[in-house]
Amino acid sequence: MIASARRQWLASPRRDLLAGTVVALALIPEAIAFSLIAGVDPAVGLYASVVIAITIAFVGGRPAMISAATGAMALLMVTLVRDHGVEYLFAASILCGLFQIVIGLLKLGRYIKFVSRSVMTGFVNALAILIFLAQMPELIGAGPITYVLVAAALAIIYGAPRLTKAVPSPLIAIVVISAVVMAMKLDVRTVGDMGQMPTALPAFHLPAVPLTWETLTLIAPISATLAFVGLLESLLTANLIDDVTDTASDKDRETRGQGIANILSPLFGGMAGCAMIGQSMINVGSGARGRLSTLWAGLFLLFLMLALQDWVARIPMAALVAVMIMVSVGTFDWNSVLKLRTLPIQSSIVMVATTATVVVTHDLSKGVMLGVLLSAVFFMRKVGKTLSVTEVQTSEPGALRYRVSGQLFFGSADLFAASFEHHGRPTHVEIDLTDAHLWDLTGVAAVDKVVFRYRRQGAQVQVVGMNDAARTLVARVGRFEKMHLPADAGALSL
């Protein structure tokens, strides 16, 4: 236990602290922007980022992942804030956290493993595109000075690692570009132009809403949606960080941790949030691997807000835009595009559909759900076609024997039923399911259908080779072992 805690917290403190510093600087404009999207004061997004980051550092299941206020969650809050005010948002955020804790206690977070690689790739590519597009308002219509600063920052980000890796190159770029802008007194857009930062520590605050059934019915649907979208983005981001760092994470603990963070956030004036793929990639890309990086990102963000806000307000947006462009380029899976022609067509369709849906709707839950649905359809079609029914030669007159192999379920039931020859007048039919598995009610109904067809022809039918699970299912819902046609119809009991 002690060794594990030391590894998660103190394996590389210098890299974690430096990476967390970069993340904190990049969090400020995003937290303010997300607050404006949700229709609340910038302090709400900033306080949320501080509280969630600090909390998740202790209770999350994925070290080095950054959680804070996010755009995906902010978009879901607009209507509630507009129609009922920020206090109802605080209440909805608390209920969102409670939903997530229940999901975590039920250990449902682990089922993220059923999201296919194609869906994951589509999700990552879509977020990379959205991160890039989110920088366009800072570039479109900007003057040539801004373009030069962005280009210079990108040159530093990609060139500095060739000289030294002791300090993350995004941090070097932010410091150098900020120093140039201040020294030359360049008139460019800065962090201070995004909105006013708070000047006081977040205070404990209970939502000022009536504790009534009407309030619950009002916020519950929004809270449930926030919980689902937040967990989806968090767990998919955790999967991505797992792959990047080649380490495992506890998805159920992460689910519970997100819930705890989303309960504490509104109690200190913040809104619900979740993992941030962009900031998480900045963090691990800057060398972070431990929980200290997430904790320091939250603490340093608070320090920047309260003690250095005058300096932070002067950081040019061009430097932060360059960092986010670097993140989008590094996040996008370019290999997935280069291999479109060589990958199975079904995998390519799932990946492209997921990416396109997320980009068009700006709703990652819709894209991921479509991707999962398409993956399931293609999988069932593929598995359904693997079912085979082979007639086995026998010397016994009037006897037919069939060997079935593969998976018998609703996707292959029609193929199974059509594979039997029902002509002639066999006296005995044996259907061997030793190499097959019976999965569902439709599969059992298909077996019933074949058995009753032969029985109506006067044949005695045996179904052999079922495993224990299949026997249990047949005993519960099957009819061919329980129902028999009248004797004059030629039906014989098994």
Side-chain angles (χ1 to χ4, degrees):
M1 182 70 72
I2 295 178
S4 176
R6 183 183 298 275
R7 183 175 63 254
Q8 291 189 12
W9 282 96
L10 300 173
S12 182
R14 185 184 65 83
R15 288 192 304 178
D16 283 350
L17 291 173
L18 288 172
T21 300
V22 179
V23 169
L25 290 169
L27 269 175
I28 292 175
E30 291 204 356
I32 295 174
F34 298 150
S35 299
L36 299 178
I37 290 173
V40 296
D41 188 90
V44 175
L46 289 166
Y47 285 155
S49 297
V50 169
V51 174
I52 293 174
I54 292 174
T55 303
I56 210 69
F58 292 97
V59 300
R62 171 63 263 178
M65 190 167 76
I66 303 297
S67 293
T70 65
M73 301 285 270
L75 287 170
L76 300 172
M77 302 170 181
V78 176
T79 303
L80 180 65
V81 174
R82 183 189 64 210
D83 296 342
H84 302 282
V86 70
E87 294 296 330
Y88 278 84
L89 172 60
F90 294 152
S93 297
I94 292 175
L95 185 57
C96 163
L98 290 174
F99 282 149
Q100 291 176 330
I101 289 176
V102 171
I103 292 171
L105 292 175
L106 294 176
K107 300 186 182 298
L108 300 180
R110 64 188 64 184
Y111 292 108
I112 195 68
K113 63 186 177 183
F114 291 113
V115 176
S116 70
R117 171 63 59 179
S118 299
V119 177
M120 272 293 300
T121 302
F123 158 78
V124 169
N125 289 349
L127 285 181
I129 293 171
L130 291 178
I131 290 171
F132 182 82
L133 293 177
Q135 312 314 310
M136 291 302 101
E138 297 295 333
L139 297 176
I140 296 175
I145 295 178
T146 298
Y147 300 141
V148 171
L149 291 174
V150 171
L154 287 171
I156 294 172
I157 288 171
Y158 288 108
R162 298 187 178 185
L163 301 176
T164 178
K165 294 184 179 180
V167 180
S169 61
L171 180 58
I172 297 175
I174 292 172
V175 171
V176 171
I177 298 301
S178 298
V180 169
V181 169
M182 294 177 194
M184 300 181 66
K185 295 182 170 50
L186 298 177
D187 184 17
V188 294
R189 186 169 165 81
T190 64
V191 171
D193 297 325
M194 296 287 294
Q196 183 65 38
M197 287 186 289
T199 58
L201 287 169
F204 184 80
H205 170 78
L206 290 173
V209 298
L211 300 178
T212 63
W213 178 254
E214 182 181 357
T215 299
L216 180 61
T217 56
L218 174 67
I219 66 174
I222 296 174
S223 297
T225 305
L226 287 170
F228 172 74
V229 171
L231 288 183
L232 186 61
E233 185 162 358
S234 297
L235 296 179
L236 288 176
T237 302
N239 266 356
L240 177 62
I241 303 303
D242 288 353
D243 290 342
V244 171
T245 61
D246 196 25
T247 56
S249 60
D250 187 337
K251 303 301 187 298
D252 293 319
R253 178 177 175 179
E254 182 63 38
T255 301
R256 297 190 299 270
Q258 291 289 332
I260 295 170
N262 282 330
I263 290 174
L264 291 178
S265 174
L267 292 178
F268 289 92
M271 58 189 189
C274 63
M276 305 180 74
I277 187 170
Q279 304 297 340
S280 297
M281 290 302 293
I282 290 175
N283 200 37
V284 297
S286 299
R289 292 296 182 270
R291 296 179 180 275
L292 182 60
S293 62
T294 307
L295 175 63
W296 178 245
L299 291 174
F300 191 60
L301 173 59
L302 183 62
F303 176 73
L304 291 173
M305 287 163 41
L306 301 181
L308 299 178
Q309 62 172 259
D310 290 339
W311 287 96
V312 172
R314 299 167 68 184
I315 295 175
M317 287 300 298
L320 298 177
V321 166
V323 173
M324 298 313 295
I325 290 176
M326 177 269 294
V327 170
S328 67
V329 172
T331 301
F332 194 89
D333 187 349
W334 300 98
N335 220 24
S336 65
V337 178
L338 298 175
K339 292 185 176 180
L340 272 178
R341 292 185 177 181
T342 58
L343 291 173
I345 184 64
Q346 294 92 341
S347 297
S348 297
I349 290 174
V350 170
M351 188 267 287
V352 172
T354 302
T355 301
T357 303
V358 174
V359 171
V360 170
T361 65
H362 284 227
D363 187 337
L364 69 92
S365 63
K366 287 185 174 69
V368 172
M369 291 303 293
L370 175 62
V372 170
L373 179 61
L374 287 175
S375 297
V377 170
F378 288 138
F379 173 76
M380 289 184 292
R381 284 188 61 189
K382 184 175 182 179
V383 172
K385 291 180 179 179
T386 63
L387 182 82
S388 66
V389 179
T390 308
E391 184 177 350
V392 180
Q393 296 297 324
T394 176
S395 58
E396 183 180 347
L400 293 175
R401 184 182 181 191
Y402 295 95
R403 179 180 293 116
V404 184
S405 61
Q407 310 302 315
L408 181 51
F409 66 112
F410 66 89
S412 59
D414 289 342
L415 176 62
F416 172 83
S419 298
F420 290 87
E421 176 60 62
H422 297 290
H423 302 296
R425 305 293 295 183
T427 58
H428 181 84
V429 178
E430 181 180 282
I431 302 173
D432 186 356
L433 298 179
T434 302
D435 298 325
H437 187 80
L438 196 55
W439 284 100
D440 60 8
L441 304 183
T442 309
V444 175
V447 175
D448 283 339
K449 182 178 180 180
V450 171
V451 170
F452 289 141
R453 279 183 180 177
Y454 279 121
R455 283 183 178 173
R456 282 193 293 269
Q457 297 174 20
Q460 181 183 11
V461 186
Q462 278 188 300
V463 180
V464 301
M466 288 187 291
N467 57 30
D468 291 341
R471 286 187 178 280
T472 300
L473 186 60
V474 168
R476 291 173 58 189
V477 300
R479 297 186 301 144
F480 68 85
E481 288 189 334
K482 305 169 187 174
M483 298 175 59
H484 306 287
L485 297 174
D488 57 5
L492 297 175
S493 174
L494 293 178

